[in-house]
């Protein structure tokens, strides 16, 4: 009987030389669940900070575009007083469109719904990029200068920032989900 228990004894694989490394410890089911819950909580806190910063950036950019609608002055002029660029053709419709897009991204950026249904609410990213790229492309093609091109690129940069950080957040959630799937089950060993 004792020979059988020695034969059936399973030892988990450990890398040689990793005995002193704290990550080489074997965790039981409860410890694994605690680690995963801790990682989830840290990931959620990080996501909330990112969403807050993104909404703040989108709100500031939308505010600047709304101010442009009423003042019709490039907001970069105080920073570049020697360059007074001319207004571009259809500047007010572009400013309104950029304001609506930025506010839409800010509002729809953080919904407590699964990512698949959020993607259905936010317009296709390629369309958003195409729409917000019209004004800066027009500035570049007509030689409107760096100040106008930079100003009208704000919405494009904001959309790209949103897309980048949204991808990072989804990657973090996917990594946590994969970690949950990889849990070691001591009962099944």
């Amino acid at each position: 009987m004792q020979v059988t228990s020695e034969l059936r004894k399973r030892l988990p694989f450990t890398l040689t030389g990793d005995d002193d490394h704290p990550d080489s410890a074997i965790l039981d089911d409860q410890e694994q669940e605690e680690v995963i819950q801790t990682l989830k909580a840290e990931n959620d806190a990080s996501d909330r900070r990112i969403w807050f910063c993104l909404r703040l950036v989108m709100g500031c950019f939308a505010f600047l575009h709304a101010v442009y609608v009423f003042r019709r002055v490039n907001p970069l002029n105080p920073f570049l007083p020697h360059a007074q660029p001319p207004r571009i053709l259809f500047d007010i419709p572009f400013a309104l469109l950029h304001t609506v897009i930025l506010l839409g991204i800010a509002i729809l950026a953080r919904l407590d719904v699964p990512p698949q249904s959020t993607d259905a609410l936010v317009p296709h990213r390629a369309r958003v990029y195409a729409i917000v790229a019209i004004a800066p492309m027009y500035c570049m093609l007509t030689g409107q200068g760096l100040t106008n091109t930079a100003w009208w690129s704000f919405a494009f940069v904001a959309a790209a920032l949103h897309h980048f950080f949204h991808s990072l957040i989804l990657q973090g959630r996917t990594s946590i989900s994969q970690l949950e799937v990889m849990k070691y089950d001591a009962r099944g060993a």
Side-chain angles (χ1 to χ4, degrees), residues 60-101:
C60 288
F61 284 179
F63 176 74
L64 288 174
H65 279 83
V67 167
Y68 181 87
V69 169
F70 295 108
R71 293 188 55 217
R72 293 187 173 98
V73 176
N74 189 324
L76 297 180
N77 285 348
F79 303 108
L80 303 168
H82 63 280
Q84 296 294 328
R87 290 178 44 200
I88 66 169
L89 189 63
F90 301 119
D91 61 338
I92 300 303
F94 281 135
L96 287 171
L97 185 62
H98 287 191
T99 302
V100 168
I101 288 173

Side-chain angles (χ1 to χ4, degrees), residues 88-128:
I88 66 169
L89 189 63
F90 301 119
D91 61 338
I92 300 303
F94 281 135
L96 287 171
L97 185 62
H98 287 191
T99 302
V100 168
I101 288 173
L102 291 170
L103 286 175
I105 290 174
I107 291 169
L108 295 176
R110 176 68 165 99
L111 295 176
D112 290 326
V113 293
Q116 294 82 13
S117 54
T118 304
D119 289 338
L121 295 173
V122 178
H124 194 268
R125 284 186 175 83
R127 278 189 229 135
V128 171

Side-chain angles (χ1 to χ4, degrees), residues 4 8 12 17 31 68 72 75 80 91 106 109 146 163 168 179:
T4 309
R8 300 186 89 190
E31 291 171 327
Y68 181 87
R72 293 187 173 98
L80 303 168
D91 61 338
L146 183 61
H163 182 207
L168 284 180
L179 190 61

Side-chain angles (χ1 to χ4, degrees), residues 3 12 19 23 40 46 56 60 83 88 98 109 117 149 154 181:
V3 172
D19 296 335
D23 290 342
K40 258 189 195 178
S46 173
L56 187 66
C60 288
I88 66 169
H98 287 191
S117 54
T149 305
F154 275 25
V181 170

